[in-house]
Amino acid sequence: MKPIRHVLYALVLAAALPAFADISRDDAAAAAQRVATGRVLSVERVGATWRVKIVTARGEVKVILIDAATGRAS
């Protein structure tokens, strides 16, 4: 019975690994800069999303939301 339990634990762990594959704060800032070029003012984690504030060359402040799991702008 123990070998089956170990296999089940391994399967549960393997299924949970993508949930721990979040992108870093720096990666979120870089992804946001690809959407709106400028200087990053702040990066904060809000749930499953990175909220990145960028000031453009024209002085506009833009808020870019980056999915923490995929790194894509939403």
Side-chain angles (χ1 to χ4, degrees):
M1 193 57 132
K2 282 190 178 184
I4 293 173
R5 188 180 308 166
H6 290 300
V7 170
L8 289 175
Y9 288 149
L11 288 173
V12 169
L13 180 62
L17 283 178
F20 297 113
D22 290 347
I23 65 166
S24 70
R25 176 183 301 270
D26 291 339
D27 291 339
Q33 282 184 313
R34 286 191 291 273
V35 173
T37 53
R39 186 170 53 94
V40 174
L41 296 176
S42 67
V43 181
E44 64 179 292
R45 181 79 180 254
V46 180
T49 305
W50 286 105
R51 185 173 178 256
V52 184
K53 284 185 184 177
I54 292 180
V55 63
T56 67
R58 291 183 171 181
E60 301 170 317
V61 176
K62 295 192 176 195
V63 176
I64 311 295
L65 301 178
I66 304 294
D67 185 287
T70 65
R72 293 185 179 156
S74 56

